[in-house]
Amino acid sequence: MYLPGVGPKKAETLRREIDTVSWEDLLYYFPYKYIDRSKIFKIKEIDGNMPYIQLKGKILKYETLGEGSARRLTATFYDDTGSIELVWFRMLKQIPQLYQIGTEYILFGKPTVFGHRLNVAHPELETESKFYEGEPGVQGQYNTTERMKNAFLHSRAIQKIITKILELLKEPLQETLNQYVIDQTHVIPLDEAIRNIHFPKSPDLLRKAQYRLKLEELFYVQLNILRVTKYREKRLGGFLFSKVGDYFNSFYHNNLPFELTNAQKRVVREIRLDTNSGRQMNRLLQGDVGSGKTLVALLSVLLALDNGFQGAIMAPTEILATQHYETISCLLQGLGVEIALLTGSTKKKDRAVLLPKIKDESVKIVIGTHALLEDSVEFGNLGLIVIDEQHRFGVAQRAKLWKKNTVPPHILVMTATPIPRTLAMTLYGDLDVSVIDELPPGRKPVKTIHLYSERRHNLYESVRKQIQAGRQVYIVYPLIEESEKSDMKNLTEGFETIQKIFPEYRVCMVHGKMKPAEKEAEMQGFVSGETQIMVATTVIEVGVNVPNATVMLIENAERFGLSQLHQLRGRVGRGAEQSICVLITRYELSENTRKRLAIMTETNDGFLIAEEDLKLRGPGDLDGTQQSGVAFNLKIANLSHDGQILSQARDLARDILENDPSLEKPENAVLKQQLAKLNTQHQMGWFMIS
Ligand code: ADP
Ligand code: MG
């Protein structure tokens, strides 16, 4: 706040909006893009394939269009060669006051084709005098929020503050990498990198600065992860599951309703070897939706039981935990194993009965939610914990698990969202990986089509035919916190409409705001087949298994991410019948959205979809991964483009730890110090090893 041009008010805005409290924070607030400010285009020169560009012109008129979530403000912007449309979806009231009709502005933005016209959404506009205050040439652009803009902290202001800081620095910034890394990579010094990332002296120096900062960022993430791996390996080791006994064999020969797929067999073998090695298992099991991960989990748990241990399975939601509990109770019938369900809504008095039984080992298998991790839950002898559908479960949380016992239980993390390699190396960099790459026999791939909302009239007749043939139907609506109210309205209106269209059938509604018991009852009605149509939000996304459901209608499909669409689609196609997934959207779609939907209709390959998702949206937006920390605190490295730098960073970190596992040597002191600093800065995702 003491910097010239900042002051207490702006300082507070910076803190609230971008979590920035120090000079250093600002120096690490990097431009998100660079533009050549010397070039101004004419409107007739532009097309939909250009990056961010500048135009010079005036606003002719404003117009407000659309209803509800589609409500938007448009303006006609013109120069002497033509006109283009500007669009805002937020600040509809303020914009016309901010930017006056008839004033000449320099416009900065990315033109896209929307419907049949070119437009620029949320452009930046500056009067010409303001514009020329800056220097010409390549300039960094900083992300700013609406609140920051309202506090006059737009990109240009941030740039000025950073200029000031760099002027005030009395000496060069201290180097944060050690000589070994510098020698191996030939990176430029930190001070030079920071100066050039903000004010590139040349395109070449900008590239070098970017490389240096990306490498450093990824290097520390890897150093952190690999240190944990070393630490784990150094510990006493893991429980030894040396034998395959009665539980496993009797289940396998008497209870298993079908033959395992080859992929399932291979993974079970990998888990057997791992748990019989004397080391603690930390394994990630990737397998597309419907590939039969539950069974693999169960067989692993039975292995634990055979060796005198308890097993636990943890799911992210109550619905999933309950479903696992029911499936597994059913599968284990006749084996005489006591199984318990423990979730957040387990009643106090039931808990009081249950907890001692978990402690004295009379309960052998515990299935539950995060409630399993509470301190009050003490296992007598937990040998294995399976974590299902957990992209939300980062290294930090796993580390917590290892500390729960003196000897850590074996850990099997299962995920249905195939994770791109770079992301896996970052999120799950400390895990061994098994893959189920084969679906059980007899599955027909789900057919996926894209349908414009206006054309839906034939849809319901086809749906009716499916229900007449005995099938069930999901209809999913988006629901996100920011627009929760209008989303809820869409959902309930959708529900009512569907009830009217299908008066002869039972329709239920399920969403995350319902009481768990209510939700449970509705879900059960659908699972048992009493209800034919379920109208729901994405609460059904993970794990729900109703093989009789063959139709998945996704409303406002443009609002879902690729991985999420893939997850939703995975709810159908679980039985022998042909299933269909219909992506319903409005007509006007951005190019990016069209691409996303096309990928969905073209492929069922989850890995491919995950890679595309990462490319199109960046890791910060990947579904379910927001809370996993590490990967998403990345300031400059991009996991979809920097795979090579990531590999290099990982190799460097591995080399260093190979020779100096606890970073005790003097030449690594700077690394240890920097790691400790980063660990205190990032509370999520990073973690301390004492
Ligand atoms: P996911 O990997 O998505 O968790 P599930 O474990 O729920 O998949 O399995 C999906 C469905 O496939 C279940 O109904 C399960 O009983 C069935 N299944 C699993 N393994 C096999 C197999 N080897 N042969 C036939 N069906 C199987
Ligand atoms: Mg599952």
Side-chain angles (χ1 to χ4, degrees):
M1 81 171 105
Y2 301 113
L3 268 174
V6 181
K9 253 196 162 151
K10 283 184 182 165
E12 175 58 16
T13 307
L14 287 172
R15 186 191 65 76
R16 270 191 24 199
E17 294 297 296
I18 54 172
D19 198 20
T20 290
V21 295
S22 66
W23 290 17
E24 186 180 16
D25 288 343
L26 271 169
L27 289 180
Y28 278 84
Y29 194 65
F30 302 139
Y32 70 103
K33 64 176 182 240
Y34 298 84
I35 50 151
D36 186 351
R37 280 290 205 179
S38 50
K39 169 86 184 160
I40 290 179
F41 284 86
K42 291 288 183 194
I43 289 177
K44 73 160 197 275
E45 292 176 298
I46 60 180
D47 59 46
N49 299 316
M50 292 172 134
Y52 285 83
I53 52 143
Q54 293 176 111
L55 299 168
K56 185 157 126 184
K58 296 176 182 173
I59 290 171
L60 180 67
K61 61 171 196 239
Y62 282 107
E63 202 172 347
T64 309
L65 300 171
E67 288 295 321
S69 62
R71 207 171 137 79
R72 61 199 186 271
L73 175 73
T74 63
T76 310
F77 185 84
Y78 67 98
D79 66 10
D80 52 7
T81 68
S83 72
I84 185 170
E85 192 174 75
L86 312 183
V87 193
W88 291 268
F89 296 97
R90 296 181 302 272
M91 307 245 305
L92 307 196
K93 283 220 186 72
Q94 294 91 323
I95 294 293
Q97 289 156 22
L98 224 50
Y99 307 128
Q100 270 103 40
I101 288 172
T103 306
E104 186 155 76
Y105 289 106
I106 305 283
L107 175 148
F108 176 70
K110 181 173 170 24
T112 44
V113 182
F114 200 72
H116 296 292
R117 282 206 62 182
L118 267 176
N119 75 23
V120 183
H122 287 251
E124 288 171 28
L125 296 167
E126 272 177 358
T127 55
E128 209 169 350
S129 61
K130 275 241 173 64
F131 175 73
Y132 283 113
E133 278 173 18
E135 302 118 66
V138 175
Q139 291 207 9
Q141 291 291 310
Y142 298 86
N143 258 322
T144 56
T145 64
E146 299 295 350
R147 278 221 186 92
M148 285 166 74
K149 288 193 185 94
N150 294 346
F152 301 100
L153 283 165
H154 35 73
S155 176
R156 166 81 78 238
I158 301 282
Q159 194 181 40
K160 276 191 186 157
I161 297 171
I162 291 171
T163 311
K164 198 80 217 164
I165 294 175
L166 289 172
E167 271 172 32
L168 288 171
L169 287 181
K170 294 204 181 65
E171 45 196 78
L173 293 165
Q174 241 179 27
E175 186 50 58
T176 44
L177 290 171
N178 67 354
Q179 202 53 45
Y180 176 75
V181 176
I182 294 170
D183 290 347
Q184 292 292 314
T185 56
H186 310 292
V187 288
I188 58 174
L190 179 68
D191 189 76
E192 199 181 351
I194 291 285
R195 286 175 194 274
N196 275 283
I197 204 77
H198 293 292
F199 303 100
K201 290 210 185 75
S202 69
D204 183 49
L205 270 169
L206 175 58
R207 261 193 305 279
K208 284 184 173 146
Q210 285 170 325
Y211 170 64
R212 144 92 211 201
L213 295 166
K214 286 178 178 187
L215 180 97
E216 172 168 359
E217 185 165 50
L218 294 171
F219 169 74
Y220 276 107
V221 171
Q222 291 301 320
L223 195 66
N224 208 28
I225 291 173
L226 293 174
R227 248 188 117 201
V228 177
T229 315
K230 285 270 171 216
Y231 167 81
R232 201 183 74 213
E233 283 169 0
K234 232 176 41 196
R235 291 190 55 139
L236 287 175
F239 296 125
L240 197 63
F241 292 0
S242 57
K243 64 171 188 234
V244 181
D246 286 348
Y247 285 122
F248 189 99
N249 282 325
S250 136
F251 173 78
Y252 198 89
H253 297 297
N254 307 330
N255 292 39
L256 194 59
F258 30 63
E259 178 79 2
L260 291 184
T261 62
N262 286 327
Q264 284 170 318
K265 284 183 189 161
R266 189 188 63 238
V267 172
V268 171
R269 221 175 295 130
E270 284 166 356
I271 291 169
R272 272 221 56 205
L273 282 177
D274 221 2
T275 51
N276 192 19
S277 71
R279 261 187 350 123
Q280 183 220 3
M281 174 173 78
N282 264 279
R283 187 165 284 279
L284 173 68
L285 173 56
Q286 293 202 35
D288 217 336
V289 278
S291 61
K293 293 185 294 296
T294 316
L295 210 56
V296 171
L298 179 58
L299 287 165
S300 316
V301 166
L302 292 176
L303 211 53
L305 266 53
D306 274 340
N307 288 276
F309 295 95
Q310 293 165 292
I313 299 179
M314 193 168 95
T317 64
E318 299 222 351
I319 293 178
L320 250 187
T322 311
Q323 194 166 46
H324 276 325
Y325 175 73
E326 276 157 11
T327 313
I328 288 173
S329 304
C330 186
L331 282 166
L332 291 184
Q333 253 167 35
L335 284 188
V337 182
E338 185 161 354
I339 311 174
L341 177 68
L342 182 69
T343 70
S345 59
T346 303
K347 294 211 179 66
K348 242 198 178 142
K349 69 172 201 292
D350 295 336
R351 270 178 81 98
V353 177
L354 201 52
L355 293 182
K357 287 172 116 183
I358 295 176
K359 179 124 199 232
D360 72 16
E361 297 173 52
S362 45
V363 164
K364 292 265 186 287
I365 303 177
V366 188
I367 297 169
T369 54
H370 268 75
L372 290 181
L373 293 183
E374 286 162 19
D375 289 337
S376 59
V377 183
E378 281 181 71
F379 286 85
N381 195 7
L382 182 63
L384 167 78
I385 179 159
V386 180
I387 301 164
D388 189 13
E389 308 284 3
Q390 282 294 4
H391 12 286
R392 299 174 183 89
F393 210 71
V395 190
Q397 287 99 322
R398 281 201 298 283
K400 199 169 148 193
L401 262 180
W402 306 333
K403 288 180 179 171
K404 213 174 154 112
N405 306 38
T406 29
V407 179
H410 294 300
I411 298 179
L412 181 66
V413 179
M414 306 199 294
T415 172
T417 313
I419 303 166
R421 197 183 56 91
T422 51
L423 205 55
M425 265 161 67
T426 311
L427 275 182
Y428 298 113
D430 61 323
L431 299 181
D432 299 312
V433 177
S434 290
V435 180
I436 306 186
D437 49 8
E438 179 188 356
L439 292 180
R443 298 277 171 79
K444 297 196 180 84
V446 180
K447 265 191 205 151
T448 304
I449 58 169
H450 174 198
L451 184 78
Y452 292 117
S453 191
E454 296 83 351
R455 299 253 193 104
R456 66 169 72 217
H457 37 270
N458 292 329
L459 179 65
Y460 295 119
E461 274 323 296
S462 320
V463 170
R464 180 168 278 116
K465 287 209 186 87
Q466 285 284 317
I467 305 178
Q468 280 163 355
R471 308 280 96 79
Q472 288 165 280
V473 179
Y474 292 108
I475 303 177
V476 178
Y477 283 82
L479 187 126
I480 54 165
E481 256 171 64
E482 295 90 82
S483 52
E484 195 177 290
K485 258 198 178 151
S486 57
D487 282 351
M488 263 326 261
K489 191 161 155 259
N490 285 344
L491 177 75
T492 41
E493 280 174 6
F495 174 57
E496 282 156 19
T497 311
I498 292 296
Q499 280 179 316
K500 277 186 207 125
I501 297 175
F502 297 98
E504 71 273 40
Y505 295 120
R506 290 190 60 172
V507 186
C508 71
M509 178 166 70
V510 177
H511 56 80
K513 291 275 151 312
M514 290 161 80
K515 292 209 184 79
E518 247 177 278
K519 194 161 65 184
E520 180 65 14
E522 298 293 347
M523 296 287 299
Q524 277 314 328
F526 191 71
V527 172
S528 69
E530 267 167 65
T531 317
Q532 286 76 37
I533 303 175
M534 176 188 287
V535 178
T537 60
T538 46
V539 291
I540 63 155
E541 183 188 332
V542 254
V544 176
N545 190 24
V546 181
N548 191 45
T550 56
V551 181
M552 168 63 70
L553 307 184
I554 304 177
E555 295 281 354
N556 296 111
E558 72 274 11
R559 290 182 51 200
F560 292 91
L562 267 180
S563 303
Q564 217 175 4
L565 289 174
H566 183 63
Q567 284 285 315
L568 285 169
R569 175 168 63 184
R571 297 305 110 212
V572 295
R574 304 191 137 228
E577 305 298 327
Q578 175 67 57
S579 292
I580 183 161
C581 172
V582 185
L583 309 172
I584 306 170
T585 71
R586 57 168 189 245
Y587 186 69
E588 288 193 326
L589 296 173
S590 74
E591 231 164 302
N592 194 302
T593 306
R594 265 179 215 289
K595 250 188 231 158
R596 277 210 317 263
L597 296 170
I599 291 164
M600 285 302 294
T601 55
E602 280 158 18
T603 183
N604 278 301
D605 181 338
F607 273 96
L608 208 140
I609 289 171
E611 294 283 355
E612 291 298 328
D613 205 18
L614 187 60
K615 265 190 230 145
L616 289 173
R617 306 206 303 157
D621 290 329
L622 277 192
D623 306 303
T625 43
Q626 285 86 343
Q627 296 160 39
S628 46
V630 178
F632 313 103
N633 287 329
L634 293 179
K635 288 191 163 75
I636 184 162
N638 176 330
L639 292 179
S640 40
H641 298 122
D642 300 328
Q644 244 174 342
I645 304 180
L646 176 61
S647 296
Q648 194 184 15
R650 189 171 172 88
D651 290 344
L652 286 166
R654 192 185 288 126
D655 290 349
I656 288 168
L657 290 170
E658 206 62 54
N659 294 314
D660 185 12
S662 335
L663 302 176
E664 298 299 345
K665 296 190 177 162
E667 66 264 31
N668 292 328
V670 58
L671 303 182
K672 189 169 189 169
Q673 193 188 338
Q674 184 69 5
L675 201 57
K677 182 171 151 191
L678 291 169
N679 274 325
T680 33
Q681 274 172 11
H682 302 265
Q683 271 140 27
M684 276 289 291
W686 292 76
F687 44 88
M688 292 296 278
I689 311 166
S690 46

